[in-house]
Amino acid sequence: MSFSIKPELSALIADIDAIASASLPPDQAARLAPVFPAYFEEAEVADLKRFTADDVFGAALSHLEFAQQRQFGHTKVRVYNPDIERHGWQSTHTVIEIVNEDMPFLIDTLAMLLARRNVTLHLLIHPVLEVERDAAGEAVAIRRAEQHSSPLESFIHAQIDRITDPEQLAELAAELEQVLTDVEIVVHDGDAMRQQVLALADQLQTMEHEEAPESAEYLRWVADNHFLLMGFCDYDLVCDANGCDALRIVAGSGLGILRNQGDKEYSESFAQLPQTLREYAHVPRLLVLNKSQTLSTIHRAAHLDYIGIKRFDAQGKVIGERRVLGLYTASAYHASPRDIPVLRQKIRQVCAALDYVDNSYKAKTLNFVLETYPRDELFEVPADVLTPIAEGLVNLQERPRTRLFARKDHYHRYVSCLVFIPRDSFNTEVRLKIEALLLEAFNGTHAEFSVAIADLRLARVHYIVHTPAADVLDYDEALLETAIARVVRGWSEELHQHLIETRGEEDGNHLFYRYRDAFPVAYREEFDARNAVLDVQQLEALSAAQPLSVKLYRPFQRNAGRHHLKVFRFGEPVSLSESLPVLESLGVRVRDERPYRVTRADGAELWINDFGLVAPDEQRLDDEAVRIRFQELLLKV
């Protein structure tokens, strides 16, 4: 063995060597002896320990035999369920074997595909090996990647949730081949796309357009490894057969994922926009930064970033665009926006518009707000839209509270919502409730979210609510923010708010501290805080001298059309066996009963018994005079 391996792997490799010596011809066992340590060098030992040495040996041998023949430029993929009789080894999982030229993005692309299919990855082995092949693609030698005398090949062995349906296995294999082909195209065309972007930057530098110098600097920044270039294509702005604006593909201009666009003549994403939005293409704005509706299948699960550079004729009329698709790299997210072309200009405009005193508290807070603003948003949001949002965020730092900042996408395909929530109030349930509110408010089809909790007091949730094109409902941001605040406050804080609103600040605070932790979980799940305010009024009237009160009511949502009776008792609950005959003698039948013990802050123990009633004439009980007489008679009895 020409290199050292982890001590915990040594025993496993020894077992594999012994199995190979006993089951393979001597020359084959000798040839594979140095390969096994290289194959398992980076594997998780804890994962391998869950399998027998025979099956680990079988998995490696199967993969190496699968890789024995491969033509350069061809990705080999196999998805199968190994068993002893057919393959000489077995696993409870479905196995994926991949052999390909070594290149970036293979593992994260595989992980993305599995996540998209909700499939769990149970084992991953990913050695990069030197493979010497003859002209027919037959492997002459396989060895550890240290001499670099032969091309490097990526071997991926993955075990996933078991799939038995042959059609699903074939479908997964085909999808794997497609995304790996996309990876190969993107990597292969990377330099060509970079040269196109740099050439565009040089062209912009010579243009007489106010945006040209900064746009040229931005494109050079993009080409300097701040953007994963995935697609490039030229389009002409024309009228289609229906007289509508269309972007026609310039034949042969496509690179990366836009290289092979089949029989498409026009940009399909542009064609899906209403004509009113397509007319934006004529606006002589040089650079357009936006999000594509297409989800990336490579590297990172996100919507592709879109960079559009418009083309003009001699009269300054827009005649087409050059489109770049990809994803910003980690370095783009870690850099200060003040060092990024276009963003730095946008920040200068915002700072000038707000005009805070240099080095003042607000100026420093604004700098923090812009530095920590979601980077994808910062690329897209226009300066005039960002300015009031930034001002609101500065004020939010001074007085933390629930806030909403919403922005419609330029093409009305989504609404970007920054929601700030007191950190202690944030949880999954709150996040989902807010998402439901936003979907309803914006007529959304689905939503994505990201969470940042970098502040000691606030959590930030960034929702992207996707909407049908040009179908975003009009909304009142203040009312929506109020609805979100109601969700965020939670039951106790909602009780506090309603007590203050109904009883005034002094009395409301006093009652809240008495009843803040008084109601049991079962009561909170059944009744909202507004109901509790009314019940607090009843409970406050109880004492040892006046231990009982009742309230007949019709629930707003629960059991619509039927009445309920709440019996409030000081000290101990009412007896169900004594209550039933009394209620039935009054002409109603008890359908169910739920008791709730209320333990007040002063130690007093109170009870609420909630009876579901069935009356011969439900509507008669709605009469105010009848309801009052029913309650008075019940108390006397």
Side-chain angles (χ1 to χ4, degrees), residues 269-289:
S269 59
F270 187 79
Q272 291 171 0
L273 295 173
Q275 175 59 21
T276 53
L277 295 179
R278 293 193 218 179
E279 290 173 1
Y280 284 131
H282 294 280
V283 176
R285 180 182 170 194
L286 182 58
L287 191 68
V288 179
L289 305 181

Side-chain angles (χ1 to χ4, degrees), residues 314-330:
Q315 288 73 42
K317 179 183 176 183
V318 179
I319 58 172
E321 76 166 33
R322 291 185 169 107
R323 181 178 300 177
V324 180
L325 294 180
L327 295 170
Y328 290 102
T329 62

Side-chain angles (χ1 to χ4, degrees), residues 509-523:
N509 283 332
H510 171 70
L511 289 174
F512 175 67
Y513 293 127
R514 281 167 69 89
Y515 289 92
R516 177 174 54 190
D517 302 317
F519 293 96
V521 173
Y523 179 93

Side-chain angles (χ1 to χ4, degrees), residues 256-473:
I257 58 176
L258 298 178
R259 184 206 296 176
N260 301 314
Q261 303 197 57
D263 298 325
K264 290 189 295 183
E265 184 179 358
Y266 298 100
S267 167
E268 292 182 346
S269 59
F270 187 79
Q272 291 171 0
L273 295 173
Q275 175 59 21
T276 53
L277 295 179
R278 293 193 218 179
E279 290 173 1
Y280 284 131
H282 294 280
V283 176
R285 180 182 170 194
L286 182 58
L287 191 68
V288 179
L289 305 181
N290 214 311
K291 280 286 184 185
S292 165
Q293 289 293 80
T294 304
L295 273 171
S296 173
T297 59
I298 298 172
H299 181 48
R300 191 169 76 240
H303 286 271
L304 292 174
D305 291 292
Y306 161 92
I307 302 171
I309 305 96
K310 292 185 180 179
R311 293 167 32 226
F312 301 87
D313 62 13
Q315 288 73 42
K317 179 183 176 183
V318 179
I319 58 172
E321 76 166 33
R322 291 185 169 107
R323 181 178 300 177
V324 180
L325 294 180
L327 295 170
Y328 290 102
T329 62
S331 59
Y333 291 97
H334 294 153
S336 169
R338 295 180 182 276
D339 297 329
I340 299 175
V342 175
L343 295 194
R344 64 193 180 192
Q345 188 177 63
K346 193 178 299 185
I347 287 174
R348 284 196 294 266
Q349 292 171 348
V350 171
C351 292
L354 294 178
D355 196 24
Y356 294 138
V357 177
D358 289 345
N359 295 318
S360 66
Y361 169 79
K362 285 206 168 185
K364 292 176 180 177
T365 304
L366 176 61
N367 182 62
F368 169 77
V369 163
L370 295 173
E371 288 283 343
T372 58
Y373 202 81
R375 188 56 50 89
D376 286 336
E377 270 292 285
L378 205 53
F379 279 111
E380 296 176 52
V381 60
D384 59 334
V385 177
L386 177 60
T387 299
I389 294 176
E391 184 176 25
L393 290 174
V394 169
N395 295 331
L396 185 63
Q397 297 299 315
E398 296 176 345
R399 187 168 70 87
R401 60 201 185 278
T402 299
R403 285 299 312 270
L404 164 68
F405 301 94
R407 177 188 69 86
K408 286 183 182 179
D409 165 51
H410 185 66
Y411 296 105
H412 295 190
R413 298 167 303 173
Y414 61 85
V415 182
S416 173
C417 302
L418 291 176
V419 180
F420 290 82
I421 303 167
R423 181 173 178 171
D424 292 341
S425 300
F426 177 71
N427 55 46
T428 301
E429 181 181 2
V430 167
R431 176 181 62 77
L432 291 173
K433 287 181 178 179
I434 294 173
E435 181 178 309
L437 279 175
L438 297 176
L439 285 170
E440 181 180 0
F442 300 124
N443 191 33
T445 56
H446 63 286
E448 301 162 7
F449 75 94
S450 61
V451 180
I453 307 181
D455 189 279
L456 294 176
R457 297 169 294 179
L458 290 172
R460 184 189 72 201
V461 189
H462 184 197
Y463 294 92
I464 299 294
V465 182
H466 294 272
T467 59
D471 201 21
V472 180
L473 296 178

Side-chain angles (χ1 to χ4, degrees), residues 168-277:
Q168 291 186 31
L169 291 172
E171 182 182 309
L172 176 57
E175 190 172 356
L176 272 169
E177 288 182 358
Q178 180 58 56
V179 297
L180 294 174
T181 298
D182 288 345
V183 171
E184 191 277 331
I185 290 173
V186 167
V187 172
H188 180 273
D189 286 358
D191 285 341
M193 289 188 283
R194 183 174 178 275
Q195 291 306 316
Q196 287 282 5
V197 171
L198 289 173
L200 271 174
D202 291 340
Q203 292 173 22
L204 294 186
Q205 201 69 52
T206 64
M207 284 184 63
E208 294 184 4
H209 192 291
E210 61 179 357
E211 298 177 29
E214 191 72 2
S215 298
E217 286 300 309
Y218 168 78
L219 291 179
R220 292 192 181 96
W221 176 86
V222 161
D224 189 23
N225 296 320
H226 292 107
F227 194 85
L228 170 57
L229 296 163
M230 296 172 62
F232 181 93
C233 196
D234 270 351
Y235 299 85
D236 290 329
L237 181 60
V238 297
C239 284
D240 63 16
N242 299 317
C244 296
D245 289 312
L247 287 177
R248 184 169 57 200
I249 299 168
V250 176
S253 65
L255 293 169
I257 58 176
L258 298 178
R259 184 206 296 176
N260 301 314
Q261 303 197 57
D263 298 325
K264 290 189 295 183
E265 184 179 358
Y266 298 100
S267 167
E268 292 182 346
S269 59
F270 187 79
Q272 291 171 0
L273 295 173
Q275 175 59 21
T276 53
L277 295 179

Side-chain angles (χ1 to χ4, degrees), residues 560-622:
R562 293 180 177 176
H563 287 80
H564 278 244
L565 175 73
K566 282 183 180 176
V567 179
F568 303 88
R569 184 68 179 258
F570 184 88
E572 59 183 22
V574 297
S575 168
L576 181 61
S577 60
E578 293 177 357
S579 303
L580 289 176
V582 173
L583 291 169
E584 289 176 355
S585 70
L586 292 176
V588 296
R589 180 167 56 86
V590 176
R591 183 172 41 82
D592 57 48
E593 185 265 350
R594 301 180 186 184
Y596 304 100
R597 180 168 63 185
V598 180
T599 306
R600 214 160 53 191
D602 61 2
E605 190 171 279
L606 313 167
W607 285 86
I608 302 174
N609 291 75
D610 186 57
F611 295 91
L613 305 181
V614 178
D617 188 352
E618 294 283 349
Q619 291 185 346
R620 192 171 178 217
L621 288 178
D622 287 330

